[in-house]
Amino acid sequence: MKETKFVLDEKEMPTSWYNILPDLPEPLPPVLHPGTGNPVTPDDLAPLFPMGLIMQEFSPERYIEIPEEVQEIYRTWRPTILHRAHRLEKALDTPAKIFYKYEGTSQAGSHKPNTAVAQAYYNKKEGIKRIASETGAGQWGSSLAFACALFGLELKVYMVKVSYNQKPYRRIMMETWGANCVPSPSPDTKAGRDMLAKDPDCPGSLGLAISEAVEDAATREDTHYSLGSVLNHVLLHQTIIGQEAMKQMEMANAYPDIIVGCIGGGSNFAGMFLPFVKDKIRGRKPDLRIINVEPTSCPTLTKGLYAYDFGDAAGMTPLLKMHTLGHEFIPPAVHAGGLRYHGMAPIICHLHKLGLVEARAVPQVATFEAGVTFARTEGIISAPETNHAIRATIDEALKCKESGESKTILLAHSGHGHFDMAAYESYLSGKLTDYEYPEEKVKEALAHLPGTPTV
Ligand SMILES: *Cc1c(COP(=O)(O)O)cnc(C)c1O
């Protein structure tokens, strides 16, 4: 019998998150206060985040216990299944062994509830009544709405206006879970009003929506801010994925030669690869390749500058050392909404600089081609974001076909694409186009970096 899926029992779900910080060969560059240029302190972040999360952001502990209440909710859909893609392998006629870990079975349909539930828990525990956040295409907003519903928290979501108008279903999911969702730029904040005065038809951007949510949280006692990617504590919560995958690869008597994932802010893929990076750093598997895949339309890691920049468009957040296309960057409206962010998780950028992970950009049409191949072999209709990772997985498997090598490839499958049928229709009818972000536009956006403060 060919084994097709590797299933962990509820009792085998990892009970702690893995924190890479103490295992980094060089320490992560500090987050800086934009006013003073000094490293931020926990107190600087206290108006926005609960102390439980702030402590995780800087924690020196290798393993951080997952609170029982969070574990209980995780177990409503976790552990997720590790699949062997026999049919895809056969269709590609490759000697490669392809495994994928599918995060689309969560209530919101992606990996994002792994952190949304944890963030809602720590806010609730510290007496917060209300959360403000932003969302691009709606995946993060809907995941947080699900988590807030379970903990009885109020939620306001600033949703990038183009998506708000074009993608009503995720908004309706948020409303079904009880959240209040408004299009960004909105008249509800100063950042939003300023932008509307400049350009009443502004389509919005993730960076601007972040400004609105941060302002909302900073100006209300009862409200905290929540971010769905990029920050250390978000990546930490996602490591449940990689730790489960490690156990499941053992069940399959395999260990990956290549791990592939898509990166928007970097959370789902880091959640998968961080436990494996630890092995690579320690010399257990020094030649392990870790491939971060991003769109050519938003080429943060492949074309951005590694510099200090704001996390939002208005320049209200602390400064993060990361690959950036400039905080004023407004990405073209490609379908992988979750991959359209000007920055990238500092942990991923640092590992990239240290040569421990690699990056690759792929054009949109080829990602849908890969996604359709995946749907017609494995059956799952994947999120447009995930299709980027599937593209690179197929490319690596085809290289194995050429070389005759039987490599083991592990794909981080971040979610389903059931709300992205319009994008698939556009591809199937031949209307989808590629967009390469022009070099001069990258330069233009980078001209407005805040400058590297001296530490
Ligand atoms: C949000 C999202 C992403 C991108 O976010 P990361 O933080 O980089 O993981 C990727 N895939 C899906 C399905 C998403 O919803």
Side-chain angles (χ1 to χ4, degrees):
M1 190 189 78
K2 281 200 292 196
E3 278 190 290
T4 328
K5 59 187 198 299
F6 303 88
V7 184
L8 289 173
D9 193 79
E10 273 185 44
K11 291 192 288 291
E12 297 169 288
M13 189 182 80
T15 56
S16 46
W17 292 301
Y18 167 63
N19 176 23
I20 185 79
L21 295 182
D23 287 327
L24 289 170
E26 283 175 32
L28 194 68
V31 176
L32 302 181
H33 191 288
T36 63
N38 291 325
V40 294
T41 63
D43 284 346
D44 291 332
L45 299 174
L48 294 183
F49 302 104
M51 223 17 105
L53 294 176
I54 294 171
M55 287 306 157
Q56 292 177 357
E57 194 64 19
F58 302 108
S59 176
E61 303 293 327
R62 182 168 291 124
Y63 289 99
I64 295 174
E65 199 168 302
I66 305 173
E68 186 50 47
E69 230 178 305
V70 174
Q71 287 189 41
E72 245 168 57
I73 298 176
Y74 274 1
R75 286 195 293 265
T76 62
W77 80 92
R78 304 207 70 87
T80 60
I81 293 172
L82 178 79
H83 300 259
R84 172 83 186 268
H86 289 295
R87 288 166 193 277
L88 177 62
E89 290 169 19
K90 188 149 181 262
L92 299 175
D93 189 24
T94 174
K97 298 183 190 74
I98 304 173
F99 293 86
Y100 63 97
K101 177 129 171 104
Y102 183 47
E103 288 295 305
T105 51
S106 76
Q107 288 86 337
S110 76
H111 65 285
K112 288 192 171 81
N114 294 330
T115 187
V117 169
Q119 293 192 41
Y121 166 82
Y122 287 105
N123 276 292
K124 178 75 180 189
K125 199 172 142 222
E126 293 182 27
I128 282 294
K129 298 275 182 292
R130 180 176 173 274
I131 291 179
S133 193
E134 72 289 329
T135 196
Q139 289 119 321
W140 170 241
S142 52
S143 299
L144 192 57
F146 154 68
C148 285
L150 298 195
F151 285 101
L153 290 165
E154 228 186 288
L155 172 64
K156 173 139 179 200
V157 179
Y158 296 85
M159 182 171 185
V160 177
K161 196 197 272 169
V162 269
S163 302
Y164 184 93
N165 292 330
Q166 285 171 5
K167 301 190 173 170
Y169 295 124
R170 288 259 171 209
R171 168 177 61 77
I172 299 165
M173 283 175 87
M174 291 180 233
E175 289 167 354
T176 304
W177 275 312
N180 173 18
C181 177
V182 296
S184 165
S186 80
D188 305 356
T189 66
K190 181 173 180 306
R193 285 189 297 272
D194 286 354
M195 181 50 89
L196 287 171
K198 257 205 290 190
D199 176 9
D201 299 321
C202 174
S205 71
L206 203 53
L208 180 61
I210 295 177
S211 299
E212 291 208 81
V214 168
E215 182 186 324
D216 181 322
T219 51
R220 279 183 63 153
E221 261 313 299
D222 64 345
T223 302
H224 269 163
Y225 170 68
S226 167
L227 188 64
S229 189
V230 180
L231 300 178
N232 300 349
H233 68 263
V234 180
L235 273 55
L236 173 82
H237 301 152
Q238 296 295 352
T239 58
I240 184 92
I241 302 173
Q243 294 186 87
E244 285 180 5
M246 255 184 167
K247 291 189 178 192
Q248 290 163 310
M249 290 300 283
E250 262 169 44
M251 290 168 78
N253 280 320
Y255 193 95
D257 298 301
I258 304 174
I259 311 181
V260 183
C262 65
I263 49 163
S267 71
N268 89 85
F269 191 39
M272 170 63 95
F273 77 63
L274 286 174
F276 291 92
V277 152
K278 177 177 88 231
D279 277 9
K280 184 168 172 168
I281 292 170
R282 291 179 176 178
R284 174 173 174 198
K285 176 80 180 171
D287 59 348
L288 170 66
R289 289 180 58 207
I290 296 167
I291 307 175
N292 292 270
V293 191
E294 60 186 10
T296 52
S297 57
C298 188
T300 318
L301 209 49
T302 50
K303 283 199 181 156
L305 205 64
Y306 187 39
Y308 273 100
D309 197 6
F310 294 108
D312 69 321
M316 291 168 22
T317 70
L319 295 170
L320 302 170
K321 178 93 183 268
M322 60 184 176
H323 278 263
T324 176
L325 294 167
H327 61 280
E328 292 173 0
F329 169 80
I330 297 196
V334 291
H335 286 290
L339 305 185
R340 282 158 56 204
Y341 179 61
H342 69 271
M344 186 53 61
I347 286 177
I348 291 192
C349 299
H350 186 62
L351 292 170
H352 184 260
K353 195 201 90 176
L354 296 174
L356 288 160
V357 304
E358 56 192 279
R360 170 182 310 181
V362 291
Q364 177 166 248
V365 176
T367 65
F368 275 90
E369 188 204 359
V372 167
T373 301
F374 196 81
R376 291 179 186 174
T377 51
E378 295 302 311
I380 293 171
I381 298 178
S382 310
E385 291 84 358
T386 315
N387 286 345
H388 289 69
I390 296 174
R391 176 73 266 162
T393 299
I394 290 179
D395 290 344
E396 289 302 316
L398 291 175
K399 276 187 215 161
C400 285
K401 181 181 175 180
E402 255 172 49
S403 66
E405 287 170 287
S406 167
K407 288 190 176 157
T408 299
I409 305 173
L410 172 59
L411 159 67
H413 194 302
S414 52
H416 69 66
H418 297 180
F419 297 99
D420 300 283
M421 288 300 104
Y424 275 87
E425 184 187 29
S426 177
Y427 168 75
L428 293 170
S429 62
K431 291 194 197 110
L432 202 69
T433 54
D434 282 335
Y435 186 93
E436 179 130 8
Y437 210 69
E439 204 75 54
E440 65 276 16
K441 282 212 154 184
V442 173
K443 286 213 182 86
E444 196 183 298
L446 288 173
H448 301 283
L449 285 189
T452 311
T454 42
V455 191

